[in-house]
Amino acid sequence: MRPRTLLLVAALVIIVVAVCRMDTRNPIHLGVSHVMQIITRDHLSLPYALPPPPEQWQPMSAADRLANVHSRLLPKLHSELAAKQLKLGQPAFIRIFKESRELELWLLSSEGWQLFRTYPIANFSGGLGPKTKEGDMQAPEGFYSVTQKQLNPMSSYHLSFNIGYPNAYDLHHQRTGSFIMVHGAVVSVGCFAMTDPLVEEIYLIVESALNNAPSIPIHIFPFRMIEERLQKESTSPHLDFWQNLRPAHDLFEKEHRVPAITLQNGHYQAR
């Protein structure tokens, strides 16, 4: 984007954050959010009609919202998937990298795990490092999962799904917090905001995958966990935690196999 547009985006983000703290359903919040989506949607162009404006979307029932998304995204979504020899309903896997602001969506075909799309994350709050307590304005890192009951078509942020924070590791370490989502809009308070157009595609694929599987794994990393990048964090207070995340990252990188994650003596174990 041009410098002038970037300044406008920055100013609007500040306004949105201030308004959201007052009331997530405030009409000013809804209007500013819609403007932000128009400005930022060129980050990734998808071949679907744009969502209705917030003032039309928010009063809809869950059934009407999903019917609206289905009518606009299908059958083009089938075509997008078929172009990569994929289809709706296949097992899904999500990886998030904070530093590069990327959300990867993988699907399991007969050929193994295939990357369907990498989405730019519009916004997440906090910096690199795990979430440790309620209200710290920090997005989590670690290994989570989504089940059917964590889908929220009635989200104030268009559509959303809960990532499952806190998990067993977080509870073991007495970390607190709740309602950490992947959602639409461009505002984040501990969540991952994807914009409304992008979250619709992600949501439909996740929803379809959950029709055939009990859960979908979500792995959240601070950055691509290569040795050179970790060496730059030699003095970070999070280094031990990040080293504990690395085996799961490396297993998938080397074998394209989503590892099973367990908790042993307060540490993640990937196998």
Side-chain angles (χ1 to χ4, degrees):
M1 288 187 286
R2 296 176 181 176
R4 187 174 180 179
T5 304
L6 286 170
L7 288 174
L8 178 58
V9 169
L12 285 172
V13 167
I14 293 170
I15 293 170
V16 169
V17 171
V19 173
C20 281
R21 289 177 178 174
M22 293 185 287
D23 182 359
T24 59
R25 292 184 180 271
N26 188 296
I28 298 175
H29 159 264
L30 299 177
V32 173
S33 178
H34 189 53
V35 171
M36 283 295 296
Q37 289 155 34
I38 293 171
I39 293 171
T40 60
R41 69 171 183 257
D42 61 341
H43 285 178
L44 176 60
S45 179
L46 297 180
Y48 316 117
L50 288 175
E55 64 270 17
Q56 294 179 18
W57 179 263
Q58 289 294 342
M60 289 183 181
S61 68
D64 287 343
R65 288 186 178 192
L66 293 177
N68 181 282
V69 174
H70 287 183
S71 68
R72 284 184 294 103
L73 271 64
L74 301 175
K76 287 186 177 180
L77 177 53
H78 289 296
S79 299
E80 291 289 297
L81 289 161
K84 297 187 178 182
Q85 290 76 54
L86 299 168
K87 60 184 178 180
L88 282 177
Q90 291 174 322
F93 170 48
I94 290 173
R95 295 202 306 175
I96 290 175
F97 297 93
K98 284 182 171 181
E99 187 170 66
S100 55
R101 290 176 173 260
E102 294 175 300
L103 183 151
E104 295 179 347
L105 180 52
W106 296 75
L107 292 175
L108 183 61
S109 73
S110 59
E111 303 298 319
W113 285 102
Q114 306 291 324
L115 178 62
F116 169 59
R117 209 184 297 281
T118 300
Y119 304 86
I121 297 172
N123 198 4
F124 69 87
S125 60
L128 302 184
K131 181 177 185 63
T132 59
K133 61 182 178 180
E134 184 82 56
D136 63 4
M137 306 293 285
Q138 183 75 1
E141 295 168 8
F143 307 115
Y144 300 93
S145 63
V146 179
T147 63
Q148 194 91 39
K149 67 180 181 181
Q150 289 162 235
L151 298 175
N152 182 19
M154 287 304 294
S155 173
S156 297
Y157 296 90
H158 201 67
L159 298 170
S160 69
F161 50 87
N162 192 312
I163 69 166
Y165 176 95
N167 63 15
Y169 178 100
D170 301 316
L171 294 173
H172 179 90
H173 292 276
Q174 299 182 323
R175 295 177 176 177
T176 58
S178 57
F179 302 109
I180 305 301
M181 308 281 180
V182 172
H183 60 62
V186 294
V187 179
S188 169
V189 185
C191 303
F192 297 95
M194 304 302 301
T195 76
D196 294 355
L198 299 195
V199 83
E200 288 187 340
E201 184 177 78
I202 298 167
Y203 187 98
L204 282 189
I205 293 173
V206 168
E207 178 189 52
S208 295
L210 287 171
N211 288 331
N212 300 312
S215 65
I216 290 173
I218 299 184
H219 293 186
I220 306 173
F221 301 102
F223 40 72
R224 305 274 173 180
M225 308 203 77
I226 59 175
E227 183 61 32
E228 294 80 2
R229 181 63 187 83
L230 278 165
Q231 286 178 358
K232 295 179 181 179
E233 303 294 340
S234 60
T235 61
S236 171
H238 306 305
L239 182 60
D240 287 345
F241 172 71
W242 289 338
Q243 291 283 17
N244 190 204
L245 301 183
R246 186 178 178 184
H249 173 277
D250 290 354
L251 266 172
F252 188 76
E253 288 292 307
K254 293 173 182 176
E255 302 180 17
H256 265 209
R257 175 175 62 83
V258 179
I261 305 294
T262 57
L263 186 66
Q264 294 184 20
N265 299 320
H267 291 83
Y268 287 121
Q269 299 291 322
R271 55 181 177 80

